[in-house]
Structure formats: C-alpha cells, structure tokens
Amino acid sequence: MEASTWTVGLAVVLLFIVYCWRKCSYWSSRGVPSNSVFRNFYIYLHMIFKRTKPFWHFLNETYHENEGNNFVGAYEIFKPSLIVRDPGLVKRIMIQDFDHFSERRTFGNSKKDECFREMLFLINGSHWKGVRSIMSPTFTSGRMRQMYHLVEEKADALIERLQRHCQEKSFVKTKTIYARYVMDVIGTCAFGIECNSINNEEEEFCKKASELNAISARGILRGIALLTLPNSVLNAIGISFTTPPFLFFQRVVEETIKNREMGVKRGDFLDLLLEQREEQSNSNTKTPKYPIKDSTIVAQSVLFLIVGHETTAGTMAFVSYYLARNPHLQHRLRQELRDIVEEHGTLTYQTIMEAPFLDAIFSGDEQLLNFLDIFLFFLFYLLILLEV
C-alpha cells in the first residue's frame, strides 16, 4: 500500500513536471529566445517566499540579458507574453498596427468582480470608448479648477503637520507623510470624505489603502490562482480580485453616492461623475449608448486611489530628495514661485500651470520623473513657506 502511494505520488509529480515543461516551451518551440523553465520557477518561488526583489526587477534582468534580440519571450505562470526591445517594433505596435493590439487582457471574471471589471484600464473595445467618453470631461482644466480648493485645504494641513513635526523630531519620513497627504486628497476628491490621515495615524481609510496596495505571499498565491484556474473553479472556491479592502472602498463610495443624491454637493470628482449621469438622464437628451451605472462610478473612484496613492507619494519623496541634493535648483524654483506670489498675491491653478521652470521639472527636462501636477505643486508651495 505504501509503495503504491509513493508510485502514485511520483507519477503525479512527473506529470506535473512534464505539463510545466510543455507550457514553458511555447517560445523555444517557435525559435524565440526566452527564459528557461527553471528560471521561471525560480522567479515565482522567489516572489512567494522571499520577495526581496519586485517582479519588474526580473523583467528588467530578462530585458538586458537579451541585448541584440528584437524581442524575448517571457511567462506569467504558464501564460506566454512577449517583451519587445526594438524601438521600431514598439512604434509599429503602438502606432501603425495599433488596431491589432488595442485590446487589453481581461481580469476579474468571478461573479464578485462586477465592479472591478468596470475599471477603465480593464475594459475593451466599444465599452472602453464609452467609459472613456464619460471620464474625459472630468479631467479638463476647468473641472480641475473646481477641485483646486479641495487640494489646497489638504496642502495647508500638510504644512501645519510638517511644521509641528520639525519641532518634535530632527528628521521626516517623507514617503510616509506624503502618502497620508495624498490619501487625504484622494479621499476628499474621489470619495468625498474627510479622513484626516495626516494628523490621525490610526485612520481606517489610510490603513485600508495600504492593504489594497500591499504585496504579500497570500496575495501572490491568489494572483497565481486567478491567472491559472478556470472561472468555474474560481467561483466554486470563492477567489476573486475583489478583496476586503476593495469592498471597503466600494461601500464608502456607494454610501457617498446615496448622500449626494439627497442634495449634498462638494464639487469633487464624484460630483462630476454624478453630474454626467444626471445629464444622461435628462429627458431632453437622447438615450445614452453607455449609461453610467453605480458600479462604473465606484470602479473609477477606486481606480483613482489605486493609481494615484503610492505613485504620487513616492514621486513626492523622490522630488524632495532631489531638490535637497541640488540646492541651486531648489533656490531657482523657489524664486520663480515667490515671483508668482509677489505678482498675483498667491499661487493659483492657472499661475502654477504657467510657471516655466516648474513645467520644466514636470516635463523631465531636469532629469526628474513625470508626475501629477495637481498634487505635487503644493510641495513647492511648501518649500516657499518653510524655506527648507
């Protein structure tokens, strides 16, 4: 009996190895340079158990190890993907032949993922065009001006917090405090709530945002399951992209929508989307091809958080470090903004957009990263007031 158990176990292992080998031979069987099966296993075992390197680090290694090749094959578990290295091919894919490459992959096929699937970067074809036509008007310069005062209020709170912090301690954890500032801005602009995480480190809103963006072994295993298992199995075992933190923000937006429908207005991102829906329901307009649903509004609000929280906070910390290491650029930028304040009395959305050196930094002319103007210009406003 024991021998039979070992035989069955060994057979299962051998079959699994053969299956993996065949799946990871997709590119090599077609003459495309790619990673070996063993390297693919190493990458995912490292991601699950060690996590000392992010996934993009391995992609970067693969990219540079294949110099001289126009493209190189890679795998997401067993799903083949292609890393294009040749600029000419990239241009053809992104411009000339884009009509053949415009579709995105689909995620979130579980029954629980209805809201998740409505995110702008996960939908395709005519549906994407419809949602994009709804979203685009909310990011015009006029609409951004409407939300300017909301961002300014949070910037003032950030200045006060940093002033107190500098009196209490000799150093500032810039990434942490900027993450809380960005969280407050997103909370007020996208979710319509006042979370005050700058002054309250135990704020639930900020904790849930950190959980939403956190990388853990459990999350990686869930991702592997979602990429490899069929939808019927995923639905049966209850695995989906809609995690508890996502559900938290989904409930927050749904409750806020109910309050707004009762007449509460703030002039924020959520109001702009609700105004779009109200225009669609106007009896004088024709029936919209893509009516705005609650799930569409919730999805874009959560997307606002996912793409804006860590990225903006990290960039703000980077800019602070860069300016601290380059006092001459810091002085030049401060002087430009002081001149604006002297001429106009204060910093406004329009004057910030017209500041040439600030624009040069945002455009990368000073070897800085591109980032979101509406959040980061308050960093430079801060430099003026604190003279750091």
Side-chain angles (χ1 to χ4, degrees), residues 35-79:
N35 290 333
S36 66
V37 176
F38 300 107
R39 179 169 173 77
N40 289 329
F41 269 101
Y42 166 76
I43 290 173
Y44 285 102
L45 288 174
H46 182 282
M47 291 294 296
I48 294 170
F49 296 108
K50 291 188 71 176
R51 304 199 305 278
T52 55
K53 297 179 182 177
F55 184 65
W56 67 261
H57 181 90
F58 295 105
L59 291 179
N60 189 56
E61 285 182 350
T62 301
Y63 180 89
H64 288 290
E65 287 169 1
N66 287 272
E67 289 187 9
N69 296 319
N70 291 337
F71 43 79
V72 55
Y75 296 92
E76 296 176 354
I77 316 299
F78 298 130
K79 187 174 183 178

Side-chain angles (χ1 to χ4, degrees), residues 359-368:
D359 180 66
I361 292 177
F362 287 156
S363 300
D365 291 349
E366 293 297 332
Q367 299 181 357
L368 283 172

Side-chain angles (χ1 to χ4, degrees), residues 176-189:
T176 301
I177 200 164
Y178 289 152
R180 294 185 178 281
Y181 161 65
V182 175
M183 190 71 264
D184 283 356
V185 172
I186 293 175
T188 192
C189 289

Side-chain angles (χ1 to χ4, degrees), residues 56-157:
W56 67 261
H57 181 90
F58 295 105
L59 291 179
N60 189 56
E61 285 182 350
T62 301
Y63 180 89
H64 288 290
E65 287 169 1
N66 287 272
E67 289 187 9
N69 296 319
N70 291 337
F71 43 79
V72 55
Y75 296 92
E76 296 176 354
I77 316 299
F78 298 130
K79 187 174 183 178
S81 58
L82 194 66
I83 301 173
V84 181
R85 300 186 77 259
D86 180 59
L89 281 177
V90 173
K91 184 177 180 180
R92 286 196 61 177
I93 291 170
M94 301 302 292
I95 301 175
Q96 294 169 269
D97 298 326
F98 183 71
D99 55 316
H100 298 288
F101 297 93
S102 60
E103 296 298 294
R104 299 170 178 82
R105 71 179 71 189
T106 56
F107 290 106
N109 294 318
S110 169
K111 295 177 181 178
K112 298 179 181 178
D113 291 329
E114 178 188 358
C115 202
F116 182 85
R117 287 193 298 269
E118 280 292 302
M119 287 187 178
L120 190 62
F121 65 74
L122 293 177
I123 52 182
N124 289 305
S126 58
H127 188 190
W128 174 82
K129 289 181 180 178
V131 176
R132 186 178 182 276
S133 68
I134 294 166
M135 292 289 293
S136 295
T138 64
F139 289 100
T140 61
S141 58
R143 297 290 195 179
M144 296 299 284
R145 283 192 187 90
Q146 285 182 240
M147 291 188 283
Y148 178 88
H149 70 285
L150 299 172
V151 183
E152 189 173 25
E153 288 174 7
K154 299 307 173 185
D156 291 338

